[in-house]
Amino acid sequence: MNEENSIKGKSKSIKLKELLFDNIVTILFVILCLIGVKYSGQPMIFIVNELIDRISRNSFLVISLIIPVLAGMGLNFGIVIGAMAGQIALIAVTHWGIGGIQGFLLCALLTVPIAVLFGYLTGKLLNKTKGQEMIASMILGFFANGLYQLLFLFLIGTLIPMDNPILVLSGGVGIKNTIDLSGGIKYSLDNIVQFPILEVLVVISIISILYILFKGFRNKKFTKKQIINLSILLGTDIVSIVLIQSQPIFKMIKLPVVTILVVMLLCIFNVFIMKTKLGQDFKAVGQDNHVAKVSGIAVNKIRIISIVISTVFAGWGQLIFLQNLGTLNTYGSHEQVGMFAIAALLIGGASVSRATISQAIIGTILFHTLFIVSPQAGKNLLGSAQIGEYFRVFVAYGVIGLSLGLHAWKKQIQAKNKLKA
């Protein structure tokens, strides 16, 4: 009996260590965010409002990274190429003077063929660099950026005629560095429908409660998990209703409903595709290329499809990002897309070989919470807001390095354990 208890105790201890090891980055960032919120001195309503804004405009880009990870392609730094595809479509639509939701939908439509072409070429190259996909996609992003600058700095106005004083530089050659999207696609998605976040939360909670009750009565019993979920949802409803009644200021925090629905559709797509034959092929290729090939799966084709899907989603994600921002930095908006999206995914607990939607959302929340509070926290703690700015850029690069280091370390430990066995 004592031996059994001892074995169970050791097993629990090992599981706890594995849990802490797998989530060390997420735990670290939760602590950093709490410290940042405390020392920034910013009101919680401001932080929540900013956070909703950032989640709605960044989460689509982060989620677009998931499929290549599951397909064994690692972290796709090449989503910057998808962002360029979206920006090419956006500049064309802005030149034609089409704004509003029609302009946004046309941008999304034009992004598809450009992103498919870019994704196909990227996938073909990454098939030639198996095992080195991450560094290859990063270098490819730099190369593509050079071609992108050649297009908009030199070819526009020379080989490609464009008579538009709003977009083209005064010399008649090259696109301006900054393009104002007001009157174009600015807020075209965000402003379709907006509701106070607490009211939306109450509605979602009530629908969830009714669904759980329906399942419980249909099965003639409620599981422990269902009872816990009901309690949480009821508590959420009560707190939300009290806040709505007692703190009218919370009604000022608006949720861009359509943008959030688009993000949810992407999540549903990811869940659905992983249950299809194609999704199973992604998983098989991600686990072992050789075994997948022996099983009759066209490995190279599956890898290309995963990159094409990711590139198209990245292009759409960049459009969502820019319509919320309202300004296009022609030569800079796309540059940090890959770095920040990958950092957010890793902060959520993802790795080079495993990523989920929940990790993407949690990572986006933590990463951007730190972005919101770090300048003011740096000013209050060290007397300079600039230190907070440096810190958050350092964090973006540092978390990628840390996660890759932990992944390599974990692989070494697993290899040693196999040898011992």
Side-chain angles (χ1 to χ4, degrees):
M1 192 72 179
N2 289 333
E3 284 183 14
E4 284 183 13
N5 290 336
S6 177
I7 291 167
K8 285 180 181 179
K10 284 181 181 178
S11 177
K12 286 180 181 179
S13 176
I14 290 166
K15 285 181 180 178
L16 182 61
K17 284 179 181 177
E18 285 180 356
L19 185 68
L20 289 172
F21 182 82
D22 290 341
N23 297 283
I24 186 68
V25 176
T26 308
I27 294 165
L28 179 63
F29 271 84
V30 169
I31 295 166
L32 284 173
C33 287
L34 291 173
I35 293 169
V37 169
K38 177 178 172 59
Y39 287 101
S40 70
Q42 292 170 325
M44 188 54 68
I45 192 165
F46 168 79
I47 294 171
V48 172
N49 202 27
E50 281 289 306
L51 192 55
I52 289 168
D53 205 31
R54 286 172 174 270
I55 290 168
S56 64
R57 76 177 179 224
N58 288 284
S59 52
F60 199 101
L61 278 165
V62 180
I63 296 168
S64 72
L65 291 163
I66 292 175
I67 287 178
V69 172
L70 298 177
M73 305 286 281
L75 302 166
N76 181 23
F77 287 89
I79 64 165
V80 66
I81 299 171
M84 289 180 209
Q87 289 176 192
I88 291 168
L90 174 56
I91 289 169
V93 171
T94 305
H95 171 59
W96 296 330
I98 304 170
I101 189 62
Q102 297 92 340
F104 182 87
L105 291 174
L106 182 57
C107 284
L109 187 63
L110 288 176
T111 297
V112 174
I114 302 170
V116 166
L117 175 62
F118 290 177
Y120 175 77
L121 295 174
T122 302
K124 290 286 282 184
L125 177 67
L126 296 184
N127 278 340
K128 304 291 184 184
T129 58
K130 287 178 183 174
Q132 305 295 329
E133 290 93 346
M134 286 186 287
I135 188 66
S137 61
M138 184 185 288
I139 299 302
L140 185 61
F142 293 138
F143 171 73
N145 190 39
L147 294 179
Y148 175 89
Q149 291 186 16
L150 176 68
L151 170 65
F152 288 116
L153 276 174
F154 177 72
L155 297 181
I156 296 291
T158 53
L159 294 178
I160 304 171
M162 184 179 281
D163 184 18
N164 189 327
I166 297 171
L167 295 179
V168 180
L169 293 164
S170 56
V173 177
I175 298 290
K176 290 179 180 177
N177 188 55
T178 305
I179 298 171
D180 185 9
L181 300 178
S182 300
I185 70 161
K186 185 176 181 179
Y187 301 142
S188 56
L189 205 60
D190 291 346
N191 282 351
I192 294 175
V193 180
Q194 286 193 335
F195 286 120
I197 185 170
L198 289 179
E199 292 181 10
V200 174
L201 197 61
V202 169
V203 171
I204 292 171
S205 296
I206 290 171
I207 292 169
S208 301
I209 288 168
L210 291 173
Y211 176 71
I212 292 170
L213 288 173
F214 169 75
K215 284 187 73 177
F217 284 122
R218 189 181 67 177
N219 297 331
K220 296 181 180 179
K221 67 173 182 177
F222 289 91
T223 64
K224 186 179 178 181
K225 186 178 178 181
Q226 286 176 328
I227 293 167
I228 291 169
N229 288 339
L230 278 172
S231 303
I232 292 169
L233 290 167
L234 285 168
T236 302
D237 276 346
I238 292 166
V239 170
S240 299
I241 291 166
V242 168
L243 287 172
I244 290 169
Q245 296 299 321
S246 62
Q247 302 288 336
I249 195 169
F250 276 99
K251 290 187 177 181
M252 293 171 61
I253 303 176
K254 297 291 181 71
L255 192 72
V257 176
V258 176
T259 309
I260 297 298
L261 283 175
V262 170
V263 174
M264 288 174 66
L265 283 173
L266 176 59
C267 296
I268 292 166
F269 172 84
N270 276 8
V271 171
F272 170 76
I273 199 170
M274 295 316 294
K275 292 181 179 179
T276 64
K277 170 68 167 59
L278 180 60
Q280 296 305 312
D281 288 348
F282 285 149
K283 287 181 182 177
V285 171
Q287 287 170 2
D288 194 306
N289 279 355
H290 178 69
V291 172
K293 192 173 182 179
V294 170
S295 302
I297 297 170
V299 172
N300 287 347
K301 182 182 175 182
I302 294 298
R303 285 162 60 91
I304 290 171
I305 290 170
S306 73
I307 292 296
V308 168
I309 292 171
S310 180
T311 307
V312 172
F313 286 161
W316 288 346
Q318 185 71 351
L319 292 176
I320 292 170
F321 177 87
L322 291 171
Q323 64 85 34
N324 179 272
L325 209 61
T327 306
L328 168 62
N329 182 342
T330 309
Y331 307 104
S333 286
H334 57 279
E335 286 188 343
Q336 296 298 327
V337 162
M339 202 64 67
F340 288 164
I342 286 168
L345 185 64
L346 292 173
I347 287 166
S351 70
V352 175
S353 57
R354 181 179 172 274
T356 63
I357 293 167
S358 59
Q359 287 169 339
I361 300 298
I362 291 167
T364 305
I365 292 169
L366 292 174
F367 186 65
H368 288 284
T369 298
L370 199 63
F371 255 50
I372 293 163
V373 301
S374 60
Q376 194 60 40
K379 185 178 179 182
N380 292 341
L381 284 170
L382 303 167
S384 172
Q386 196 63 41
I387 291 173
E389 294 283 347
Y390 293 145
F391 176 72
R392 65 189 190 179
V393 173
F394 159 77
V395 159
Y397 290 99
V399 72
I400 293 171
L402 177 62
S403 296
L404 294 177
L406 287 172
H407 177 72
W409 183 34
K410 194 171 182 180
K411 282 186 78 174
Q412 285 180 349
I413 291 170
Q414 287 172 347
K416 285 178 181 178
N417 291 338
K418 281 183 180 179
L419 287 172
K420 287 178 181 178

